[in-house]
Amino acid sequence: MNKTLFAISLCAMAAGGAAAQNVTLGGIADAAVRHVSNQGRGGVSSLVSGGNSTSRIIIRGSEDLGGGLAAGFHLEHGILLDSGTQANATMFWDRRSTVSLISKQWGELRAGRDFVPSYSNWSRYDPFSYVGVAGSNNFVSASPVGPLRSAFGSGANTTVRSSNALQYLLPGGLGGWEGGLMAAAGEGGTAAAGQHKVLGARLGYATKTFNIAAALTRSENNLTGSNQLDDLALGGSYDLGIIKLSAAWRRFEIGDARQTHTLLGAWLPVGTNGQFKLSWNQVDLAGRVGSTAIGANGASQLGLGYVHELSKRSVLYGTVSRVDNKGASTYVIPGGASGLAGGRNSGGVEMGMRHSF
């Protein structure tokens, strides 16, 4: 797509729709210098996009229909700030593309591509928001023999988002209860094409200081056969004022293969503009994939970060992390040299800036 025409069309959309509805154009620009050292493979330095928050362009709008009803849309395009290219080569609105009918009394009906319930329930308890050298996403990979490779191969998966989905989200004002349901049709497609049948649900309870929630997402496609991939996520957090603590547990399971994640997190405010973040994340594989036993494999990750607010929109940040593998596992921090042998470690550090607009 021609970049100039795209920019003009965005401005035209915002200007043309502003008289009838509230339309906004915004996003996040995030870039960091990263160095990753993999044991036995040396170190690699690079400039990366999205070390603190994923870089993106967001267009959203809403219209008051009266009687407590509203209509709205939300479009997100992921970008790689370091190279100026789109994050997904085959999907333009790769992050979210939804249209909604919202009722203050009955909740929201949402259609399109969006987060699956299990991801929503897991990522909120990750101090590093599932990105960067210390993000818990470093262990959600189809590279090792296990449930994710069995269910998705090397194609697009439903560990974060689902396309072709319908959702119902509970309204606010239910005394702290929140959650929703999701259903997506496979539409006769294949895992290689990123088309999966999905059923999911999430239910949680939250106050100003405490929250707890559970979610289950079930995915089926041509690779799962008579089975399905179950993605179960449980978590909670408590804000003590001087520190906020979180704990979460997530399991991917299909047939005889299981992949279990355990996460402990902490946020520690420093003055009025700073915050330390700490996370410990462990993944353990169990069972078999065909005749291959995977129970001896797994890894742990320790991450420490600091975020300093320059303003409400701009922050500086720094993060360090280390991954220690066991068995035949070769989990790594993104950006390092390939070919890490099983049982070796991966270390990473990054420093960057994020600006919201």
Side-chain angles (χ1 to χ4, degrees):
M1 176 180 291
N2 183 280
K3 292 184 178 67
T4 302
L5 290 178
F6 174 62
I8 293 173
S9 67
L10 292 185
C11 294
M13 288 172 62
Q21 61 179 322
N22 176 29
V23 177
T24 60
L25 172 63
I28 294 173
D30 183 314
V33 176
R34 178 181 296 180
H35 181 81
V36 176
S37 179
N38 292 337
Q39 185 178 358
R41 301 293 296 169
V44 176
S45 298
S46 60
L47 183 70
V48 299
S49 179
N52 180 266
S53 295
T54 304
S55 299
R56 70 197 80 165
I57 295 171
I58 305 172
I59 308 172
R60 52 193 164 199
S62 63
E63 181 182 16
D64 189 345
L65 302 177
L69 288 176
F73 71 93
H74 188 117
L75 302 172
E76 287 194 27
H77 170 67
I79 56 176
L80 298 178
L81 205 66
D82 55 325
S83 61
T85 58
Q86 62 188 58
N88 189 310
T90 61
M91 190 182 300
F92 192 81
W93 302 112
D94 59 310
R95 294 182 50 79
R96 176 176 167 184
S97 55
T98 62
V99 64
S100 299
L101 182 64
I102 308 163
S103 166
K104 293 181 179 179
Q105 180 179 3
W106 300 107
E108 178 181 353
L109 185 62
R110 184 182 295 178
R113 176 174 171 81
D114 203 0
F115 293 132
V116 299
S118 297
Y119 171 82
S120 296
N121 204 54
W122 169 266
S123 60
R124 64 175 57 189
Y125 302 115
D126 180 359
F128 296 95
S129 303
Y130 213 70
V131 297
V133 297
S136 59
N137 59 311
N138 292 341
F139 288 164
V140 183
S141 168
S143 294
V145 176
L148 298 182
R149 182 190 289 188
S150 297
F152 302 116
S154 60
N157 59 60
T158 56
T159 60
V160 176
R161 298 177 181 84
S162 174
S163 299
N164 312 316
L166 287 174
Q167 286 187 84
Y168 167 71
L169 302 174
L170 291 173
L174 295 180
W177 292 100
E178 46 98 18
L181 303 171
M182 172 180 274
E187 300 187 353
T190 64
Q195 292 175 293
H196 316 278
K197 180 180 178 181
V198 175
L199 292 173
R202 185 176 68 85
L203 183 64
Y205 179 79
T207 68
K208 290 184 179 180
T209 59
F210 167 80
N211 76 73
I212 188 170
L216 174 66
T217 304
R218 175 167 289 179
S219 301
E220 299 179 45
N221 56 45
N222 62 302
L223 296 182
T224 60
S226 59
N227 297 312
Q228 64 279 316
L229 179 80
D230 284 338
D231 176 4
L232 176 62
L234 313 172
S237 68
Y238 195 87
D239 193 339
L240 300 170
I242 59 173
I243 191 171
K244 178 181 176 181
L245 302 173
S246 70
W249 180 91
R250 188 177 189 182
R251 171 172 286 178
F252 300 101
E253 183 171 6
I254 182 172
D256 296 327
R258 298 182 302 279
Q259 179 173 322
T260 303
H261 298 249
T262 305
L263 174 69
L264 299 177
W267 297 256
L268 178 64
V270 181
T272 58
N273 297 322
Q275 183 184 70
F276 278 109
K277 300 189 292 185
L278 177 68
S279 74
W280 175 80
N281 186 19
Q282 179 169 296
V283 58
D284 292 294
L285 280 72
R288 291 180 173 273
V289 175
S291 60
T292 303
I294 60 174
N297 303 327
S300 62
Q301 176 177 277
L302 184 64
L304 174 65
Y306 177 74
V307 178
H308 186 81
E309 294 183 356
L310 300 174
S311 69
K312 291 184 178 180
R313 294 181 178 273
S314 299
V315 304
L316 298 175
Y317 62 88
T319 310
V320 295
S321 66
R322 176 185 169 99
V323 170
D324 288 294
N325 288 285
K326 65 178 182 180
S329 292
T330 56
Y331 292 101
V332 294
I333 296 164
S338 60
L340 182 68
R344 304 219 173 169
N345 63 61
S346 176
V349 57
E350 65 187 358
M351 299 180 64
M353 180 176 181
R354 185 198 76 214
H355 179 74
S356 303
F357 58 93

